[in-house]
């Protein structure tokens, strides 16, 4: 029983440690270059948190970029997606200012009242709380840890005997 529990705990720890990876740190700089911006947009333009990462693209602008073919780590698809949004005059927040123009103005195309000032890792405007969702890796990590705790706590009892009958 102990070796099985130890293997399960090791698996959970390994899985949780691997989850936060897979951000695309070159995208803010590439957007700045491609659109001739004064500063790179913050990661929260697409992600629900400043660190980015797998499963965190939940902002409307980021979701629309994915729908237009954006692939993590591929700057060619980034350029194509930006071009597609520009060509279709996309306005994800419906405020009358097109998304690409909002990026050029230094404002958030998702409708936040905060003005982005720096790219990933700098001083970044907070996430719009109405749109923020929990990081998928946090949810999965918590779920896996809870399952691991249940299995570690569970004792082998004779068939038919309940834990409270002791």
């Amino acid at each position: 029983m102990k070796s099985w529990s130890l293997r399960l705990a090791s698996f959970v720890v390994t899985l949780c440690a691997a989850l936060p990876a897979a951000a695309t740190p070159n995208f803010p700089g590439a957007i700045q270059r491609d659109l001739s911006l004064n500063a790179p947009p913050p990661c929260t333009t697409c992600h629900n948190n400043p660190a980015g990462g797998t499963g965190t693209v939940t902002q409307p602008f980021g979701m629309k970029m994915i729908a237009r073919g954006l692939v993590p780590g591929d700057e060619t698809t980034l350029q194509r997606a930006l071009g597609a949004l520009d060509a279709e005059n996309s306005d994800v927040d419906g405020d009358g200012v097109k998304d690409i123009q909002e990026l050029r103005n230094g404002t958030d195309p998702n409708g936040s009242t905060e003005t982005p000032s720096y790219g990933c890792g700098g001083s970044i405007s907070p996430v719009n709380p109405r749109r923020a969702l929990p990081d998928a890796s946090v949810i999965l990590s918590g779920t896996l840890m809870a399952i691991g705790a249940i299995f570690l706590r569970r004792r082998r009892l004779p068939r038919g005997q309940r834990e409270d009958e002791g």
Side-chain angles (χ1 to χ4, degrees), residues 2-74:
K2 285 189 177 189
S3 71
W4 182 84
S5 298
L6 185 59
R7 281 190 297 242
L8 177 63
S10 296
F11 171 75
V12 169
V13 168
T14 302
L15 183 61
C16 292
L19 288 174
T24 309
N26 60 316
F27 276 6
I31 293 170
Q32 178 184 13
R33 182 190 65 240
D34 293 346
L35 298 179
S36 300
L37 306 179
N38 292 329
C43 295
T44 54
T45 301
C46 295
H47 297 269
N48 65 11
N49 69 69
T54 303
T56 65
V57 178
T58 59
Q59 297 288 15
F61 180 79
M63 298 298 289
K64 196 152 194 183
M65 290 285 287
I66 290 171
R68 299 304 176 272
L70 179 66
V71 174
D74 186 345

Side-chain angles (χ1 to χ4, degrees), residues 1 4-5 146-156 163:
M1 177 71 173
W4 182 84
S5 298
I147 291 169
I150 290 168
F151 282 108
L152 291 174
R153 179 178 158 88
R154 191 171 148 181
R155 293 184 281 165
R156 280 192 183 262
E163 191 172 315

